[in-house]
Amino acid sequence: MAEHATAQETLFALREQIARLEGKPLPALAAAEQADLAADPEGQKARNNQPRLPFGIPPMDTALEGGLPLDGITEIRSLLMGDAGAASGFALSLASHLKARQPGDAPVLWIGDVVSTQEAGIPYSVGLKQFGLSQRDVLYASPRKLDDALWLAETAVASGAVVATILEIRGNPRHFGLTESRRLGLRAKAAGRPLFLLRHAGEEEASSASFRFLVEPAPAARRHLPEGSELGGSIGHPVFRLTLEKSRIPAPLSLLLEWNPHDRQFSLGREAGEAFSFRNPPAHPGARLPASADRQDRAPALGTVVAFERAS
Amino acid sequence: MRLTALDEVSERLGLKRGQGLAEARAMFPKIDVVDEDGAADQGLLEAIADWCDRYTPLVALDGREGLFLDITGCTHLFGGEEALLKDILGRLLQMGFDVKGAISSSPGLSWAACRFGRGGVIADQVTEAVLAPLPVNALRIDEATIAALYKLGLKRIGDLLPMPRAPLARRFGIHLLLRLDQALGHNEEVISPRRPVAALSAERRLAEPIQAEEHILQLAGQIAISLKSELEARGVGGRVFELVLFRVDGRVFRIAAGASQPLQDPKRISLLFSERLNAVHDDLDAGFGFELLRLNVLQYDVFRISQGDFTGNGDSEISLADFVDRVSARLGADCLQIAEPKQSHVPERAEVFVPAIASRIVREKTEEIFTFAPKSDRPLRLFRHPELMEAFAATVPDGPPQRFRWRRIVHEVIRAEGPERISPEWWNDEEDVEERDYFRLESEAGRRFWIFRAGHYVAGKTAPTWRVHGIFA
């Protein structure tokens, strides 16, 4: 009986290893593991081999299976270039959140895109300091070509010299496809360092990123007064409207996330009601189809669909 | 138009430099005339000077057609002065240059012996004997003095030597005597080398030229090993290295690579060049191969030996420096930057980007540098040049706008904070720079902007301009 259990465990371990290599969980395995968990603390240990960065927010951590993976690519996407503030804010807050929880003084590498820098400005060190990243925490790179940027990202991730790498790109460049993203993903996995891919004004695209967030701006939280009340009309901590577009859970998760730069900590945005005020109706009223979770959607039809009257 | 240079055949025909072109054509209608290209001549002379670096680091240009080489202490490497001169002249002749050379104890004598004498190696004892039969033109003096000397019948240097010095100086100026003394070696003359002499350098001569990049790198690593002991003896590490590659046909390539920390380790030095070679890949034409490699240390710094601990935590610092070096070697030092704080309350002057390789933040883990820390919020991304926008319905005199148009999009302002007044720096700025009132705005979409109004609303004057200076998260 004991022999049988050992063999079973070996089998599970091997299956898990294969699943990790492929980056996919096996549902049966996950269920079996849940069952094993109570009896076998070793399983827990095996699970923890994959480094994760928990947000400290239960729904988020559940959706991310314990937190943001620190050995892979996480994509952060915005719909419009005008949302660059929110998108780069979320990427930098992730870096700051991670930096606060890791020992050592390795910096964060920001690989900027030339056009995005012209469109949305350069990261401002004084503002970053207030955001939770001090001057020496950030290295800025401004490669001229995308090839250089990719080489730089690969080198940075592989060297293990930086805590996190933020690669900023604009749109969906042709030279950055699945092959390149897979290459970066493998490097990240080997070195155990995260790569945040910050895609401004980009479409959804197949990549080796394990999670993809869509970031949209949201009204900021109010400032807190010392006695505990809030100051009406003030602009306090930034809030991001996040949609977890790509993950292993079937339905996309959407929530408001508030970043507290002083504690370098995320919290759930509370004023969810204010987001859709009468001045700002939702862009897509009515039921929205869930975004495809595991793979790419089929290509949408060209042009807009207009309700013509029937000819006959 | 005049003739500025002649080849062997035309010299034999009796043409002279400085002769009029029409006159020369009248004498020999068939001569070929090519326009003078001063820049190309200069380039060729510099290329030859580069090539001469193999003999001594001290090579100086002399006008448009000569080179001075300071070979003090170098001759024994080539088997003596005779052999050295023979080697230089022989190799240059093979490349197709007709060159005359002389070795003597003073630049002036060598100059004279090359142009007016037979050249060769001139021993100290025969200086006057060699100099005496040469014309006074060999003294590097101006035309007027030469003409005056000729008029007096002083045609050879030998005529000047026994003359009393005081009358000569009175009549022809002190310059003539200075030149005479320089030629005789009584007066020290320094040549000014083209390049600074490397602090340290090591080289490797090859019997068989190499072409492949990996061979170059391997050899660079070997040369770095021979440099290491010298670096250790001085207690320094190199900050800027230069690899000089001498190609078989005389072309010289110089590849410089910088490091963020002083380096001694041959492996890391050779790694520096591996990235650099990748970057210059297309420009480095190996041709028939390189026959001489030299590694120079152009800049060095005190090398601090740090002992690693058992846990191996010290590695991260090295890997960061390594990473910075690799990137800077490949993409240029300006690619990777770090923001250093500046003492200024004007937002765009509060930081300055410096290359990470030169930054003291990366190099030395100094304590936090004191800076002006603003009490109010600063944006996450700042525009290098504040962008003009149109503000509508701004509260006069000092309120935020209700609505604004920026990049052709109208933003409805929901919330606003401000104003925060930032005055120009009177010690830096012109008098007409306006003070700015900054506001934080949040649009209905939830985007947050940092805008300012330059100047004030004054009755009877044009309205002040509004600009967007940054965006918040």
Side-chain angles (χ1 to χ4, degrees), chain A residues 83 89 119-125 127 130 136 140-142 151-152 168 218 220 223 234-235 279-280, chain B residues 275 327 335 337 347 351 353 361 366 376-383 407 412 415 417 440 442 444 447-448:
Chain A
D83 296 344
E119 289 275 312
I122 35 174
Y124 182 44
S125 60
Q130 293 174 344
R136 69 170 54 169
Y140 306 90
S142 48
W151 175 83
L152 191 53
E168 181 186 40
R223 283 184 198 277
S234 60
I235 308 173
R279 298 184 73 168
N280 183 21
Chain B
E275 291 301 338
V327 174
C335 180
Q337 296 187 318
E351 62 170 13
F353 283 94
I361 294 184
T366 48
S376 51
D377 286 350
R378 290 285 180 266
L380 200 61
R381 304 187 71 150
L382 192 79
F383 291 111
R407 291 183 179 167
E412 202 75 38
R415 287 189 273 183
E417 281 187 348
R440 292 180 77 199
E442 185 176 275
E444 56 181 347
R447 295 176 185 163
R448 289 170 279 279

Side-chain angles (χ1 to χ4, degrees), chain B residues 200 224 227-228 230-232 235-241 257-273 295 297 299-304 318 321-322 325-326 357 363:
Chain B
L200 271 175
L227 269 183
K228 194 184 177 200
E230 189 63 30
L231 284 170
E232 274 173 350
V236 296
R239 285 286 312 281
V240 180
F241 294 92
S260 60
Q261 285 182 326
L263 294 187
Q264 284 186 347
D265 185 17
K267 232 179 240 160
R268 290 184 65 191
I269 296 172
S270 123
L271 202 69
L272 218 57
F273 282 106
L295 186 64
V297 181
Q299 268 179 42
Y300 58 83
D301 235 331
V302 177
F303 185 79
R304 255 167 309 181
I318 289 183
D322 238 357
D325 290 351
R326 284 186 67 187
I357 197 165
R363 241 184 316 147

Side-chain angles (χ1 to χ4, degrees), chain B residues 142-201:
Chain B
D142 53 40
E143 293 288 331
T145 318
I146 292 172
L149 286 168
Y150 266 68
K151 205 181 261 176
L152 296 177
L154 301 170
K155 293 188 176 168
R156 308 207 166 270
I157 298 176
D159 301 337
L160 290 174
L161 288 176
M163 306 264 299
R165 292 171 64 88
L168 270 183
R170 202 163 56 233
R171 177 131 195 188
F172 299 104
I174 198 78
H175 193 67
L176 173 67
L177 287 180
L178 177 74
R179 286 303 193 192
L180 194 60
D181 284 347
Q182 283 179 343
L184 288 167
H186 298 327
N187 205 332
E188 189 76 16
E189 183 184 359
V190 286
I191 64 169
S192 47
R194 299 166 62 230
R195 294 172 188 284
V197 181
L200 271 175
S201 108

Side-chain angles (χ1 to χ4, degrees), chain A residues 80 82-83 85 88-89 92 105 107 109-110 116 118-131 135-136 138-143 148 151-152 155-156 159 161 168 200 217-223 233-235 238-240 279-280, chain B residues 275 319-320 323-324 326-327 330-331 334-339 341 347-348 350-351 353 356 361-362 365-368 371 374 376-384 387 407 412-417 440-442 444-448 471-473:
Chain A
L80 301 166
D83 296 344
S88 30
L92 286 165
D105 47 13
L109 176 66
W110 171 278
S116 305
Q118 288 165 357
E119 289 275 312
I122 35 174
Y124 182 44
S125 60
V126 184
L128 275 175
K129 198 169 180 183
Q130 293 174 344
F131 205 68
Q135 257 112 8
R136 69 170 54 169
V138 191
L139 275 176
Y140 306 90
S142 48
D148 291 345
W151 175 83
L152 191 53
T155 316
S159 75
E168 181 186 40
H200 295 301
R222 290 187 185 140
R223 283 184 198 277
S234 60
I235 308 173
V239 176
F240 313 108
R279 298 184 73 168
N280 183 21
Chain B
E275 291 301 338
S319 74
L320 178 63
F323 169 68
V324 170
R326 284 186 67 187
V327 174
R330 176 150 176 163
L331 303 178
D334 284 339
C335 180
L336 206 59
Q337 296 187 318
I338 204 160
E348 62 266 33
E351 62 170 13
F353 283 94
I361 294 184
V362 170
K365 301 280 169 190
T366 48
E367 66 278 4
E368 200 71 38
T371 45
S376 51
D377 286 350
R378 290 285 180 266
L380 200 61
R381 304 187 71 150
L382 192 79
F383 291 111
R384 205 158 276 167
E387 297 190 359
R407 291 183 179 167
E412 202 75 38
V413 177
I414 300 287
R415 287 189 273 183
E417 281 187 348
R440 292 180 77 199
L441 301 183
E442 185 176 275
E444 56 181 347
R447 295 176 185 163
R448 289 170 279 279
I471 50 177
F472 289 92

